């Protein structure tokens, strides 16, 4: 273990112990096209998912289950759904009509390698495959699966990731403006694209494990703060790595008020997030891992 892994040893041990099962479940759930005609669709699909990134979001689903007394193995298909949605959002985000990114996860982005048309199809196939996955293992409790299913459409839709991305797009193209011109009060709106998926990841695991309304409400609040922290730390990293991508049309708190203010905001967000966990869930391994994950976000530099 390197120094960072030692500092966050519970988090890394948890991620590494579940990673083989996550990778296997992703591979077993691929929405492959029948091999009637060679289209390179299946190759593109595998390219988009493997090798993956940190797989934090499916881990959040397993933790959402464990935190509320569930079995992580039971919610693995839902964790796969969450990673499918995440991957599809990265594919769409990288397209020339969005962020126009030529690289993703240290290799050519999907559209760069397979063309825009194929990238759109893979993104759609992943989204489409995510919906039914919440029913796997839960046919005996259809009401929970239906609730998880409707959370997926809420997360992806206009009140979630699509809406959040549309705010980003409007600000970049200059067609819209937030009511308040300063960046700080609007961080949560900008972070909607990130926090909506954090919320889905945690809550699906919890919903499928029979969490109470109060537990779910606490997880929603925690997820929003976790999403804010994730996006803030991402903005700070981007600011350091490539300051020229930041211009007036792409204001973030890190740009608007400087690195110091953004770091302070990140610290208060992280403290509040951890307080919600500690106040609402009894001490457990899952809670400790989530606390470490929250701290890790504040401290990561890459
Ligand atoms: C159709 C689901 C869907 C979305 C359409 C394009 C879009 C709307 C939303 C974009 C959402 C987006 C890409 C947000 C950024 C989130 C973010 C910080 C990604 C990086 O996450 P990491 O570092 O990635 O966890 P890895 O590679 O580790 O998985």
């Amino acid at each position: 273990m390197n120094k960072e892994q030692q500092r966050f040893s519970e988090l890394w041990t948890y991620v590494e112990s579940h990673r083989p099962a996550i990778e296997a479940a992703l591979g077993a759930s691929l929405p492959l096209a029948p091999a009637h005609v060679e289209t390179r669709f299946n190759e593109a699909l595998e390219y988009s998912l493997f090798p993956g990134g940190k797989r934090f979001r499916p881990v959040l689903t397993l933790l959402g289950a464990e935190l509320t007394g569930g079995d992580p193995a039971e919610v693995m298909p839902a964790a796969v759904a969450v990673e499918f949605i995440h991957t599809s959002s990265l594919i769409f985000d990288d397209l020339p009509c969005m962020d126009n990114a030529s690289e993703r996860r240290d290799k050519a982005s999907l559209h760069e390698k397979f063309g825009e048309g194929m990238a759109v199809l893979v993104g759609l196939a992943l989204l489409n495959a995510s919906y039914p996955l919440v029913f796997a293992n839960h046919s005996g409790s259809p009401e929970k699966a239906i609730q998880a299913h409707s959370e997926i459409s809420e997360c992806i839709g206009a009140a979630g990731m699509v809406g959040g991305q549309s705010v980003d797009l409007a600000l970049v193209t200059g067609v819209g403006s937030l009511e308040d011109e300063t960046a700080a009060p609007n961080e949560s709106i900008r972070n909607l694209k990130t926090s909506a998926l954090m919320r889905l990841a945690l809550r699906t695991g919890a919903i499928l494990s029979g969490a109470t309304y109060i537990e779910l409400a606490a997880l929603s609040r925690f997820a929003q703060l976790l999403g804010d922290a994730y996006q803030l730390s991402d903005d700070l990293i981007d600011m350091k790595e490539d300051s020229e991508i930041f211009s007036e049309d792409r204001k973030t708190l890190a740009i608007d008020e400087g690195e110091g203010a953004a770091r302070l905001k990140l610290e208060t967000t992280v403290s509040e997030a951890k307080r919600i966990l500690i106040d609402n869930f009894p001490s457990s391994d899952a809670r400790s891992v989530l606390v470490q994950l929250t701290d890790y976000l504040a401290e990561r530099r890459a």
Side-chain angles (χ1 to χ4, degrees):
M1 274 196 189
N2 63 30
K3 237 174 159 188
E4 184 185 83
Q5 287 166 336
Q6 273 167 16
R7 157 104 177 79
F8 298 104
S9 63
E10 284 170 80
L11 170 63
W12 290 116
T13 305
Y14 191 89
V15 171
E16 288 314 314
S17 68
H18 285 89
R19 200 172 167 115
I22 293 172
E23 299 300 326
L26 286 167
S29 315
L30 290 178
L32 294 169
H36 298 315
V37 184
E38 178 46 58
T39 61
R40 296 192 80 200
F41 172 87
N42 291 347
E43 194 191 330
L45 179 66
E46 294 199 26
Y47 181 91
S48 74
L49 279 162
F50 304 108
K54 298 174 283 299
R55 307 292 197 214
F56 274 161
R57 291 161 190 82
V59 162
L60 283 178
T61 303
L62 307 185
L63 285 168
E66 258 189 279
L67 192 67
T68 53
D71 174 0
E74 292 274 304
V75 301
M76 186 59 86
V80 167
V82 167
E83 186 64 14
F84 278 2
I85 296 167
H86 172 53
T87 304
S88 83
S89 79
L90 299 179
I91 294 169
F92 290 127
D93 195 42
D94 289 343
L95 287 173
C97 58
M98 299 268 181
D99 245 15
N100 196 14
S102 55
E103 280 192 22
R104 168 67 61 186
R105 293 171 172 166
D106 298 325
K107 60 182 188 180
S109 53
L110 192 66
H111 69 269
E112 197 70 27
K113 175 125 176 119
F114 291 91
E116 280 179 57
M118 190 62 86
V120 168
L121 292 176
V122 169
L124 284 174
L126 286 169
L127 277 186
N128 192 47
S130 71
Y131 286 95
L133 280 167
V134 293
F135 289 96
N137 296 344
H138 296 93
S139 52
S141 46
E143 69 297 333
K144 288 188 212 155
I146 288 167
Q147 191 186 344
H149 188 264
S150 74
E151 297 243 344
I152 289 189
S153 41
E154 204 179 307
C155 165
I156 294 173
M161 300 175 80
V162 165
Q165 182 78 353
S166 75
V167 171
D168 250 30
L169 210 54
L171 292 173
V172 170
T173 55
V175 298
S177 67
L178 294 170
E179 274 167 31
D180 186 331
E181 283 298 309
T182 58
N186 295 304
E187 282 298 291
S188 290
I189 301 172
R190 271 199 205 99
N191 299 343
L192 191 58
K193 64 180 187 183
T194 305
S195 50
L197 190 53
M198 302 278 178
R199 180 186 141 109
L200 177 75
L202 281 160
R203 281 178 53 112
T204 1
I207 289 167
L208 294 171
S209 304
T212 64
Y213 176 80
I214 290 181
E215 288 173 321
L216 290 175
L219 284 179
S220 291
R221 181 81 190 114
F222 170 71
Q224 193 198 322
L225 292 164
L226 196 66
D228 284 353
Y230 210 90
Q231 198 60 55
L232 263 173
S233 71
D234 233 45
D235 292 344
L236 280 161
I237 292 165
D238 282 352
M239 190 187 189
K240 275 224 143 48
E241 281 177 357
D242 192 359
S243 51
E244 71 193 36
I245 63 168
F246 287 103
S247 54
E248 264 303 290
D249 61 3
R250 207 178 159 191
K251 284 208 281 181
T252 64
L253 189 129
I255 303 208
D256 231 31
E257 297 182 18
E259 188 185 339
R263 278 219 182 278
L264 193 64
K265 173 78 181 161
L266 181 55
E267 275 163 34
T268 53
T269 305
V270 159
S271 304
E272 203 188 325
K274 289 194 293 186
R275 174 63 33 222
I276 288 169
L277 284 179
I278 289 159
D279 287 351
N280 289 281
F281 299 96
S283 175
S284 67
D285 288 349
R287 193 184 81 174
S288 303
V289 173
L290 275 173
V291 166
Q292 280 210 344
L293 177 74
T294 315
D295 277 329
Y296 167 79
L297 293 187
E299 291 180 30
R300 78 194 175 117
R301 294 286 184 273

